[in-house]
Each structure stands twice: as structure tokens, then as C-alpha cells.
Amino acid sequence: MTDVAEDFDLIVLGGGSGGYAAALRGAQLGLRTAMIEKHKLGGTCLHNGCIPAKALLHAAEIADQARGAQRFGVMATFESVDMPAVQRYKDETVDSLCRGLTGLVKARDITYIEGEGRLSSATSVDVNGQRIQGRHVLLATGSVPKSLPGLEIDGNRIISSDHALFLDRVPQSAIILGGGVIGVEFASAWKSFGADVTVVEGLKHLVPVEDENSSKLLERAFRKRGIKFNLGTFFQKAEYTQDGVKITLADGKEFEAEVLLVAVGRGPVSQGLGYEEVGVAMERGHVLVDEYMRTNVPTISAVGDLVPTLQLAHVGFAEGILVAERLAGLKVVPIDYDGVPRVTYCHPEVASVGITEAKAKEIYGADKVVALKYNLAPNGKSKILKTEGEIKLVQVKDGAVVGVHMVGDRMGEQVGEAQLIYNWEALPAEVAQLIHADPTQNEALGEAHLALAGKPLHTYD
């Protein structure tokens, strides 16, 4: 093992959202920075998650629009989905973003090393036969799709989201094991592409971490779309059939389809990378950190899917920036994870920020919590788009709004203002006095706060 002559201020192990954000911000602040990535710059979000999945979902939206064009007086017909062409569109989007990111890294004079790095000490990483020395090491090695005990993902009939993103065909039928974000997004896209889809979720609702009202609204919308789901019973086993795969649940119920997509979450990439040998505290594969992303080893931090925080690209991004600014001597503020916007990009979209009504009652007491539901039906732009849904506000009585939960097409575009409402601890009356553009769906968020402030307009008293 040979040492690299340059001694870095920051060595980043992993080039995903958390890693590259730390590298870019660190270099911007004058830190001599090296970044090591074994696959492609951009990590899971860019290559195996957010971006390619949302490209598929947009293609699915176009398919739905073609089918429903006559509702808007447009005479169009839907013929078929050309999956190789969809894949080209998706890949072009990813490649373009990857080139842009690569250019940014180069422009910031970050030393970028392609190779599989391994932590060799509290201040060094080994890669490609070299030992990279630094003042501080940031672990950002991300995550991979998980499975369940006894369920082997073979990439053929039993696949993960990684495989699903690169399918060159639309499966005739699919079972999706897991009704969280990944599961319902693929269910939505595949249904739009023409597949017969069944979602199996062991908990009692789809998107179970969301407010129960949002889950119920999504379930109702999925029923209307013909997406089947089975809730409240856990998986037991899977086996090949002559033409596909069959799963059996704990209650004996069976489902058969061409493919089984295992969408039960993602697990941290941490094994065999030297973390435990160097003394980094871990739990169930995750690296443990404090509110400033510091591990128990003073010269090592960790961010992103590797640590037990929200597995969202923008969370890793914020965590990476926090670490870089802390190392550069700037004053930093711990992340309020309840204040992070969350969006599930199925049809209809589910977006939220803050805490659920149930959580608010647990924290403040049931008699101290006010909840208001505002239907999108009176909203002009939602009517134009022919989307249905609701905005639900959760407020501490006579106090701030602590939760905003939205279901409907394009609700992900409204979560930005919702984030400000929660994080700035806005009172309903303060939001109500803001003027929202007409006609927009954003107007519905303003109208909901008008109603919560006691002066509803487009709702019956």
C-alpha cells in the first residue's frame, strides 16, 4: 500500500447525494477534498433511485394522459408503451445529470478517485492500492435493496427495484411486496404502462408512515385505478410456477404473477469496509451518529442512507453540507427531520411535512390538537387537471401548524411552502393573510389555512 503524497482536509467515501454534497461544499469552503466512489458519481439517487424512477413515472403519466385525452376534447389514442424507448429517455436524463455533476466536481478541484475504498484507520482510506490520508473522513456509502429471510432476489422472476428500473418490457402481471414509497411508485407506473398489479403490505395501510388520512385517500385512488392490494398480513414464502412466481401469506392466501418485486426497504452498505475494525459504533449495519453527524470516532462522520435517519436524497444532501460546514468552522444547526419534506410520486402524489395527527396527539394531548381537511374539489386548477384529493392541516390548538399532509396530482410541487409553514412555526392566520396566485393548486394550501383561521371561503361553514 502506497501513500498519496497530498494530505487532505476531508476524505469522502461514497459519491452519492450525501457524499458529493459534502465534497462540493467542503471544497467551496477551502477544504482540500478527496472523494472516492466505486460505481458512478451521483450514487443511488441519480442512478438507481430518485431520478430514474421519476423518469419512468413521468412516462407513465404521459401514457395516462394519452388514454384520457378525450376528456379534455383532444382526439388522441394510446397504442402501446415502447419500454426500450422509455429506457433511453430515462438513461439520457440520468447521463445528462451525471455529466453536469462530474463537471462541478472537476471545477471545484476535488480529487475524484474511482475505486472501492475501505476505511483503514481513523484518518485514512485505502483504494486502488493507495492509502489516502486526511484530517477527517466522511462515510457516505449509501444503501442497497433489502429482502426478507428466505426470499432470494434472483433478478429474473423475483426482482429488486434495481432490476425493475432496467426492465426492457412491461410485465403482464406483478406482485409488489411492500406498500411503502418504492412499492406504490412502481405499482403506479406499471399500472399506467398496462400491467396487472397487486401490492402486498404487512401493515394495515399503504405508505404506512404517512398520516392515516393520506393512506386512506391513496388506497381509494388505487382502487379506482384498478390497482389491487392486500393489507395487514405478512409474507410467508415465494416459489416459482410454470409461468411466473407465487407467494403465500401468513394467513394462507396466495397470489400469482409474472414477476415479484421485493420493495421492503433499503439496507446500509457497511459490511467489509473496515468500519468496525476502526472502532466505529454501529447498530444493525447502520453507523451511529449524533445530531451533528459525528460518530464515536472524533475524526469520522457519516451521512445519508448509511445512518439511521430518513432515507431521502435531500436528507443526505443536507447532512453532507452540515458536515462540511462544521469541519470548516462554521456554526451549524442540527437537522429537524420532522421538518423535511416527503413526497411519494405515485398517481396521485402523496406529500407531507411535519408530524401526523396521531403523533401530535401523542405529544400534545388529544384535546390540544386541531385537524382540518380541505378537499381539492373547489380548487380551480385541480378541477382543470381533473385531480382529486385533500390537504390536511394539523395544528396545536391556538398555536402553530405542526403537520401538512397532501394527496393529489402535483402535490409534491406544493410541499415547498408547506415546509416553510412548518419550519417557521407559522400560525394559520399568518398564512391566511398571504395572497396565493389564482388559479393554482398552491391556492388550495392558502384556502386551507383560511379555513383553519376561521374564515373559510370556498367551503361550507
Side-chain angles (χ1 to χ4, degrees), residues 12-56:
V12 181
L13 183 54
S17 299
Y20 81 69
L24 290 172
R25 184 64 175 135
Q28 189 178 56
L29 293 170
L31 301 179
R32 293 168 297 170
T33 303
M35 181 165 53
I36 300 162
E37 170 57 50
K38 67 177 181 178
H39 292 310
K40 295 179 180 179
L41 188 57
T44 294
C45 174
L46 182 52
H47 298 284
N48 295 91
C50 316
I51 300 301
K54 278 51 178 182
L56 294 184

Side-chain angles (χ1 to χ4, degrees), residues 76-355:
T77 57
F78 174 80
E79 294 182 5
S80 64
V81 174
D82 182 348
M83 277 309 294
V86 171
Q87 290 289 352
R88 287 195 297 274
Y89 149 69
K90 179 206 74 177
D91 292 342
E92 287 169 1
T93 304
V94 171
D95 291 345
S96 175
L97 290 169
C98 188
R99 287 194 300 271
L101 181 57
T102 301
L104 274 175
V105 168
K106 185 177 181 180
R108 296 278 172 87
D109 291 326
I110 296 166
T111 299
Y112 178 63
I113 303 168
E114 279 193 21
E116 186 166 358
R118 187 178 189 277
L119 188 67
S120 51
S121 77
T123 55
S124 66
V125 174
D126 291 349
V127 58
N128 300 338
Q130 295 180 315
R131 177 155 293 170
I132 316 297
Q133 295 283 348
R135 179 168 63 89
H136 200 90
V137 178
L138 174 62
L139 308 178
T141 43
S143 64
V144 291
K146 291 195 301 186
S147 188
L148 297 174
L151 180 57
E152 182 181 351
I153 296 175
D154 57 26
N156 182 13
R157 300 186 196 179
I158 304 176
I159 63 176
S160 71
S161 57
D162 284 355
H163 303 113
L165 286 171
F166 295 94
L167 276 185
D168 60 358
R169 71 188 193 286
V170 178
Q172 289 187 347
S173 58
I175 301 166
I176 299 178
L177 185 58
V181 173
I182 297 172
V184 299
E185 287 188 349
F186 272 104
S188 185
W190 280 349
K191 179 62 179 180
S192 297
F193 288 153
D196 179 33
V197 180
T198 301
V199 181
V200 174
E201 168 57 54
L203 300 178
K204 64 179 182 178
H205 286 297
L206 297 177
V207 287
V209 301
E210 295 291 342
D211 190 271
E212 187 172 329
N213 186 66
S214 295
S215 296
K216 289 180 177 179
L217 287 169
L218 180 62
E219 289 159 13
R220 186 172 71 188
F222 270 22
R223 287 190 194 98
K224 290 180 70 173
R225 293 186 60 195
I227 298 174
K228 299 183 288 291
F229 49 88
N230 189 91
L231 305 173
T233 308
F234 288 98
F235 166 86
Q236 186 175 74
K237 66 177 181 177
E239 55 192 309
Y240 271 16
T241 63
Q242 181 175 348
D243 301 315
V245 63
K246 178 175 72 175
I247 70 165
T248 305
L249 305 187
D251 61 1
K253 192 177 293 185
E254 296 179 341
F255 298 91
E256 292 190 35
E258 179 186 336
V259 297
L260 168 63
L261 169 59
V262 181
V264 294
R266 299 181 64 87
V269 176
S270 58
Q271 294 300 308
L273 296 178
Y275 299 170
E276 291 174 304
E277 290 87 336
V278 174
V280 176
M282 301 178 68
E283 184 176 284
R284 300 178 66 181
H286 286 105
V287 171
L288 300 180
V289 294
D290 66 8
E291 67 270 29
Y292 295 101
M293 315 316 297
R294 298 176 297 200
T295 72
N296 62 309
V297 180
T299 55
I300 299 176
S301 297
V303 299
D305 289 358
L306 183 62
V307 302
T309 57
L310 291 173
Q311 288 189 332
L312 297 169
H314 45 288
V315 167
F317 192 80
E319 290 170 345
I321 292 172
L322 186 153
V323 170
E325 293 184 347
R326 172 170 58 80
L327 294 178
L330 301 184
K331 183 179 179 180
V332 295
V333 177
I335 296 168
D336 175 5
Y337 291 98
D338 286 333
V340 172
R342 305 172 294 273
V343 185
T344 303
Y345 294 89
C346 52
H347 168 50
E349 290 183 352
V350 180
S352 63
V353 67
I355 59 178

